Amino acid sequence: SPPILGSQNGRSLNALLFCSRVSPRRWLNLQEYQSKKLMQDSGVTVQRFFVADTASEALEAAKRLKAKEIVLKAQILAGGRGKGVFDSGLKGGVHLTKDPAVVGELAGKMLGFSLTTKQTPKEGVKVKTVMVAEALDISRETYFAILMDRSCNGPVMVGSPQGGVDIEEVAAATPELIFKEVIDIFEGVRDDQALRMAANLGFKGPLERQAANQIKRLYDLFLKVDATQVEVNPLGETPEGQVVCFDAKINFDDNAEFRQKAVFAMDDTAESDPLETEAARHDLKYIGLDGNIACFVNGAGLAMATCDIIDLHGGKPANFLDLGGGVKENQVYAAFKLLTADPKVEAILVNIFGGIVNCAIIANGITKACRELELKVPLVVRLEGTNVQEAKRILSESGLPITSATDLDDAAKKAVAAIAKN
């Protein structure tokens, strides 16, 4: 079972609905138990569960559950836990058992040990928390989601009686099994809409009303946490006649962080790239790559073009770094500090097109960073746009070994050549 992730993996469903969304500063990562707790607090039915940090706590939690069967799950953000391997020798980060004592034993081989899956680094991720939950049988799986759809100017419900599988595959093979309901943002989900969606999902008899209630509570959660998407796959029914949210992904609106402090305080950065986490602190968009030429660019499109043209001239970009439009001098300094912290970097290419950005601010930030950080690698700078003449004057009078470029092509060639000389 994949972990429930916050602010992630929403792009596939958005593609299904042909809607676009503004890229957030950085994905907000929640562990599975945190997302389950948010749903539970909104009255959404989830498996009963406890969280444990020690083997003895896990054993006690298993006893308290008094369940016929228990599922123990290592809490990491990476998927593929079930087939992962611990450096303790234990195989699998998800285990089923009917014996609470076994839960304690298994937790002892999980907690404090690193779990390696297809999605983790080679060294794995250290497990600090486990979730002890009631295991439930699923007699039928459906798919349900609520998301903001730009084409409808508001929230939309999407559902399918075919759950537990990739929704894109269902949409491609059997589009008639995809059901959509537009929600009036002022009115909310009406009873007739919730019941119609429940019926379309295949719930019958008393389960139809139960599913409709769950749909309304999921919408309450959607509003309560300022979500851009709540995707439940599967929304299942049990042989005992319960409608349960078994697995979900929640995307949050980063612009609502100021009023969702409790949610954003749960952000788990332990498994994130430290450089990406540090970049986010300075409102910089950074993604580490495998190359050795660091890119320092304003605008995502220009950043991608810069990476491409470096590759075209035989180089390899070390990162994607977007300064954004309202960049300040201290952010330029922070960006250089990030780039020089990467031991793979052998040259830095600055490519700025100053529309909103004032090139002089960039130039001042560059000279300050070069002096204070004692830059040891070649630096190639291409500036164009607002206040560019003043910026070029600042750089030329700095006395620093900065190579100027006339355009992006020239800059890429010079950056690649600078590494070859070294």
Side-chain angles (χ1 to χ4, degrees), residues 63-136:
K63 290 177 180 176
R64 285 168 62 196
L65 275 176
K66 296 179 180 176
K68 290 179 182 178
E69 193 168 25
I70 303 156
V71 59
L72 177 68
K73 292 185 173 185
Q75 294 298 283
I76 65 170
L77 297 173
R81 290 174 296 174
K83 295 180 180 179
V85 179
F86 286 89
D87 57 4
S88 65
L90 179 67
K91 293 182 178 179
V94 179
H95 286 266
L96 285 166
T97 180
K98 295 181 180 178
D99 185 354
V102 173
V103 171
E105 292 171 16
L106 290 170
K109 296 176 182 177
M110 290 184 178
L111 291 162
F113 294 98
S114 292
L115 174 60
T116 303
T117 77
K118 288 182 178 180
Q119 293 186 16
T120 65
K122 289 180 181 178
E123 66 275 14
V125 174
K126 184 172 282 190
V127 174
K128 299 175 182 176
T129 307
V130 294
M131 185 177 75
V132 184
E134 175 185 28
L136 296 174

Side-chain angles (χ1 to χ4, degrees), residues 46-62:
V46 297
Q47 297 150 282
R48 293 185 298 120
F49 72 95
F50 294 105
V51 177
D53 299 326
T54 65
S56 58
E57 285 180 8
L59 173 61
E60 186 58 33

Side-chain angles (χ1 to χ4, degrees), residues 6-65:
S7 194
Q8 196 166 357
N9 295 336
R11 286 164 288 183
S12 58
L13 184 55
N14 282 342
L16 168 66
L17 290 175
F18 305 104
C19 73
S20 58
R21 70 206 248 303
V22 176
S23 295
R25 289 194 309 277
R26 193 181 69 80
W27 298 120
L28 170 64
N29 296 311
L30 299 189
Q31 295 286 0
E32 179 178 9
Y33 73 89
Q34 294 171 317
S35 293
K36 279 192 184 296
K37 182 69 167 60
L38 287 176
M39 290 188 285
Q40 193 178 59
D41 290 346
S42 289
V44 177
T45 303
V46 297
Q47 297 150 282
R48 293 185 298 120
F49 72 95
F50 294 105
V51 177
D53 299 326
T54 65
S56 58
E57 285 180 8
L59 173 61
E60 186 58 33
K63 290 177 180 176
R64 285 168 62 196
L65 275 176

Side-chain angles (χ1 to χ4, degrees), residues 83 93 179 181-182 192 251 342 365 399 417:
K83 295 180 180 179
F179 298 94
E181 289 273 350
V182 178
D192 66 299
N251 289 11
D342 184 348

